[in-house]
Amino acid sequence: MDKDILNRLKSEGNIKNDIVVVPFESIKTASLQGIPEKTLEIMLLEEGFVPERYERNIGTFGISGQLLLLKSSILVVGCGGLGGWNIEILARAGIGHLRLVDSDRFEAHNLNRQLMATEATLHRQKALVAAERVREINASIDVEAYPCKFDDDTAKDLIDGIDIAIDALDNNRSRRLLFEVCRTCDVPVVHGAIGGFVGQVKVVMPKDPHPLEIFGEDAPDKGIEVTLGNPPQTPALIAALQSNEAIKLLLKKGHILKDRLLWIDIEHDEWMSLQLR
């Protein structure tokens, strides 16, 4: 039965730019016969056919790369400013499994910058709203929402089975825990932080020192964002760079921000690659 459905889908494909693209509606219809959309998409990609939703990814990721993304799992810790934009990009990229963690609810002061914050979602739990958004974008993705704190009691279970963690946190205490538990679990972390016009991004591999180790125990729990705030454009930019690093890690690209911290000041248009010692 699965083979018959797959053959029918393949027969409905159209050649576009030297790849065979299977229409979105065909996959939706086939999934009504009991085979999950994600399973159908994986089966198609394994045979060199491209689900229409990923057509514009293929020139960059390749068919094998898209297949890798669909079989990958990412944890996003924090579903607010950085987290919301990361979640949006990762869902559209076709990351097959997203685990979303945030204990907060949307408040009016989030409306200026947090993608999932709308007048309709105020006072709702961020993780649940974010999961709904993922399902609206890509029903093929397995998405888990955890409206809980990321702390000593939950961290290990939340990281279990994950390929990469995205640091979208707003405090260094939780960040330090994320770095340390991911080191124990052999999971890379894509770090991001913002404040005013300034942001930073770094990939922290499990065997490498993380930024808070380098800065020592005296690193404050909060940074310049306390006084400068967070305008809408900075989290969107830094989250795009974080998602890009996560995708490059999954695709095994050689050039990642592993040994450097990318520091950006978009007020003065300065981008600096800093060696941390």
Side-chain angles (χ1 to χ4, degrees), residues 88-237:
E88 181 84 5
I89 293 166
L90 296 172
R92 293 184 185 278
I95 304 301
H97 177 206
L98 292 173
R99 185 174 294 165
L100 315 178
V101 181
D102 200 310
S103 63
D104 290 344
R105 296 173 182 268
F106 287 113
E107 303 295 341
H109 62 82
N110 301 143
L111 289 168
N112 81 310
R113 70 195 182 283
Q114 298 191 12
L115 180 65
M116 312 292 177
T118 67
E119 293 186 8
T121 62
L122 288 182
H123 312 304
R124 293 189 59 203
Q125 290 177 312
K126 292 182 180 182
L128 298 181
V129 172
E132 289 176 8
R133 176 67 176 173
V134 170
R135 295 185 189 104
E136 289 172 354
I137 293 168
N138 189 342
S140 298
I141 290 174
D142 299 321
V143 58
E144 299 175 283
Y146 287 86
C148 65
K149 288 187 178 297
F150 185 84
D151 57 22
D152 291 324
D153 294 328
T154 62
K156 190 111 187 288
D157 288 339
L158 290 170
I159 290 167
D160 184 51
I162 291 296
D163 297 313
I164 294 172
I166 299 283
D167 165 19
L169 289 155
D170 63 358
N171 68 88
N172 285 333
R173 178 178 43 80
S174 299
R175 214 170 248 131
R176 189 182 295 275
L177 175 64
L178 176 63
F179 291 144
E180 291 174 355
V181 176
C182 282
R183 173 180 290 164
T184 301
C185 297
D186 200 33
V187 172
V189 180
V190 183
H191 160 69
I194 53 175
F197 284 110
V198 175
Q200 63 187 44
V201 182
K202 184 182 184 335
V203 174
V204 181
M205 301 302 288
K207 292 182 173 57
D208 294 341
H210 58 72
L212 294 177
E213 281 180 309
I214 295 165
F215 297 139
E217 295 295 330
D218 295 331
D221 197 40
K222 298 278 190 176
I224 58 173
E225 72 278 2
V226 174
T227 54
L228 296 181
N230 290 311
Q233 68 274 28
T234 317
L237 171 63

Side-chain angles (χ1 to χ4, degrees), residues 38 42 46 65-73 94-97 163 250:
K38 181 178 173 182
I42 288 173
E46 285 177 337
Q66 188 64 63
L67 184 59
L68 268 175
L69 298 185
L70 202 54
K71 291 181 175 181
S72 298
S73 300
I95 304 301
H97 177 206
D163 297 313
L250 293 172

